[in-house]
Amino acid sequence: MTPQTGAALLERRGTDRDVTASAAPAPRTAVRPPAPADAGPTPPARRRGVPRPPGRRGPLWLAALVAGALVAALPSTMTAESTPVAAGAADYGLGVASDLGVTGDMEDASVRQGITEAQARVRLEELAASRAARTPATVLPAQGRLTTCFCMRWGSMHYGLDLAGPLGTPIYASTDGVVIRAGRASGYGNAVYIQDADGNVHIYGHMRYYDVQAGDLVRAGDQIAKIGNEGFSTGPHLHYEIHRGGMTGRPIDPQEWLAERGVHI
């Protein structure tokens, strides 16, 4: 090879390198799309902050929460107001209680005071002075049908007579005496207690109305009340009971007591 030829060859190789280098692709650079012309500055990322205090309305919110708690604490069951009873039925003592038993304990504190048996004897002395001139000495306490005697009933002793009659039938004092108690009594609804001259206590029960009070003197045949249906009662009637010798004395058969004095049922 001649020197001229070798130089030409070197020059040719250098030219090839330049061509190859210029033909190699340039490295890629990420190109962002142009932002819209009307876009503003990019907002900063949100950060979760601490809740703001309620400010001036804080006391109002607290009061509302306390009120709600008080309402929730109220009892779930409230006492319902009873439906008023028709005046006509109430006035005549219409009731639905059953005659399961009679205790006769006075309910009203003012009624329980009454008068003592000693005071009753003093009043009876005033009454005895005019007794001989008056008749009759004993009467039937009410006109009605005998429905229950002084006997066993429903497995227990019934210590009196039941005389059934229409509502409002007059009730009379069966003998002279002095009223020692009158008013509400357990089992009887209303009751009148009269002590006679022998110390016996006559009990009249279940009436709606009564016309006497403690301390009144009554004579045989005086109207003292009207038949009702109060207390433990299955229908309008008078419960008539006698205790020998006082309030706590032994109950005796009123039918026999009346018969001994000429009054028969």
Side-chain angles (χ1 to χ4, degrees), residues 83-211:
T83 304
V85 180
D91 289 343
Y92 287 96
L94 296 178
V96 295
S98 60
D99 196 353
L100 300 179
V102 174
T103 62
D105 295 332
M106 302 304 289
E107 296 175 349
D108 188 357
S110 62
V111 173
R112 285 198 299 269
Q113 294 175 358
I115 64 173
T116 65
E117 294 184 9
Q119 292 171 323
R121 283 193 295 271
V122 173
R123 303 301 306 276
L124 286 169
E125 290 175 1
E126 303 173 9
L127 190 62
S130 61
R131 176 181 297 173
R134 290 182 290 102
T135 56
T138 306
V139 301
L140 189 65
Q143 294 295 327
R145 179 171 55 90
L146 179 64
T147 57
T148 308
C149 61
F150 182 87
C151 55
M152 294 295 295
R153 182 187 65 170
W154 304 337
S156 61
M157 185 63 186
H158 182 257
Y159 293 105
L161 302 180
D162 285 349
L163 297 173
L167 291 170
T169 299
I171 297 174
Y172 306 104
S174 58
T175 189
D176 298 348
V178 59
V179 179
I180 57 176
R181 294 183 182 180
R184 299 292 298 177
S186 176
Y188 291 130
N190 289 315
V192 173
Y193 297 71
I194 298 177
Q195 182 175 331
D196 65 19
D198 298 325
N200 303 323
V201 174
H202 302 244
I203 303 174
Y204 307 77
H206 299 307
M207 69 280 295
R208 172 67 177 177
Y209 301 105
Y210 53 95
D211 305 317

Side-chain angles (χ1 to χ4, degrees), residues 202-248:
H202 302 244
I203 303 174
Y204 307 77
H206 299 307
M207 69 280 295
R208 172 67 177 177
Y209 301 105
Y210 53 95
D211 305 317
V212 293
Q213 60 184 354
D216 286 352
L217 290 173
V218 294
R219 296 173 174 83
D222 287 351
Q223 181 173 329
I224 59 173
K226 295 179 181 179
I227 284 181
N229 192 30
E230 300 292 299
F232 298 152
S233 174
T234 56
H237 73 284
L238 164 68
H239 176 86
Y240 178 53
E241 190 170 322
I242 303 176
H243 288 233
R244 187 182 296 280
M247 286 284 295
T248 59

